[in-house]
Amino acid sequence: MVSPLSSSDTTATNETVPLCFSINSPPFRYNHTIASASFSAVFSGLGLSSNLFALVVLAKTFHQTKSRSRSSFLLFLGGLVFTDFMGLLVTGSIVVSFHVTQFNWRQLDPHCHFCNFMGMSMVFYGLCPLLLGATMAVERFVGINRPFARSMNMSNSRACSTVAMVWVTAGCISLLPLAGLGSYHLQMPGSWCFLNISSKPLDMTFSLIFSLVGLLSLVLSFVLNTVSVITLLRVCCGQDGRQRRRDYEVEMMVQLILIMVIASICWCPLLVFIAQTVLSGSRLEVRYLLLWLRFATGNQVLDPWVYILFRRSILKRIYPRMDWSRGSIVSLYPSLSTSLRKLTRGSLGGTLGHLDGFRQGAPSPLENTSPPRSPPLD
């Protein structure tokens, strides 16, 4: 177990103890495999190298692509990978440095500035991937269901501005404890700082804001991605032989769905755990906090591999018999196309009925005749 305060602090009053050390203060005597130096070093090293490699591949693909919709999608994806890289670099370097040097937080940071910085970094780099995932879901929903509106509004500069707005939003939320709403505290085993998970009114409010923003981002991503996938299947599996080729949009949706699934698996346990703990008023279970935090860190490690492994250039090498340069991916499998057509037009037809109402009898931009073939995309 852990001694909340060292022997030199037992006589100190609450007024003399800095806020970030008022609950947990060094030295700590908490040992757990999940919080070991080896875990932190491996996760940080693997995540940094993966994200750096993905950034190089994304930059190369971005300069080669001529598709406007795909270039903006790559910008969003690049913002996500860059955020993951910086998150691991900032927080990982602090944690690994603690394990290597065993520095004393009270001596290094007597006024809690460094602890507040790390707490803000944990919240900022935690919310950014979830908010960016929801933003990418909105972009793809508009791109697939309202392509004309999207082509008029979403330029590369606007995509960059949208990513910057997401960063500003996450940054404003991370600053709330410095304005008095909630607080950042040193967490066991003494290597990191995070929001104070307690049932005190201000701490509970900030904990719920953090959890609900993350969970609502995942829910929004799920709803919009589901509608986008159904619409895309409806177009790809339509009986109209003049349907537009959608290979690159299928590729983007596959990547986005995998990003959403990974984020849900990695972040839902921590977000639900925080909300459940503060609402129930139960005692904070440190081992579960560390376990779910490690799960959340896995999101930053796995995100870049979605793009690295699920590109058409890689899939062509895995399955060279498939002709990725012509026709729809689904149309290459007639039996699958027939089954999906029945599914989308029968069971799911009612769900998409409202989409046809907007067209007012005009031909759908997704069902127009095939445009000139675009160059193969990576």
Side-chain angles (χ1 to χ4, degrees), residues 74-148:
L74 291 175
L75 287 173
F76 283 117
L77 194 56
L80 174 64
V81 174
F82 177 76
T83 304
D84 287 339
F85 177 83
M86 291 302 300
L88 286 170
L89 181 63
V90 173
T91 60
S93 60
I94 297 175
V95 173
V96 173
S97 297
F98 170 82
H99 286 296
V100 172
T101 64
Q102 292 295 315
F103 60 80
N104 188 300
W105 281 86
R106 290 291 298 272
Q107 296 176 358
L108 178 69
D109 187 31
H111 302 293
C112 292
H113 298 317
F114 190 45
C115 185
N116 286 334
F117 169 75
M118 185 177 187
M120 291 169 53
S121 299
M122 294 288 292
V123 171
F124 174 80
Y125 291 113
L127 288 179
C128 274
L130 303 179
L131 293 173
L132 282 171
T135 303
M136 293 167 69
V138 173
E139 190 274 340
R140 280 291 80 215
F141 174 83
V142 176
I144 292 176
N145 295 278
R146 301 287 182 270
F148 286 160

Side-chain angles (χ1 to χ4, degrees), residues 240-245 363-372:
D240 189 355
R242 301 173 301 167
Q243 64 179 318
R244 177 180 164 186
R245 297 181 177 94
S364 169
L366 294 178
E367 296 177 353
N368 287 339
T369 56
S370 300

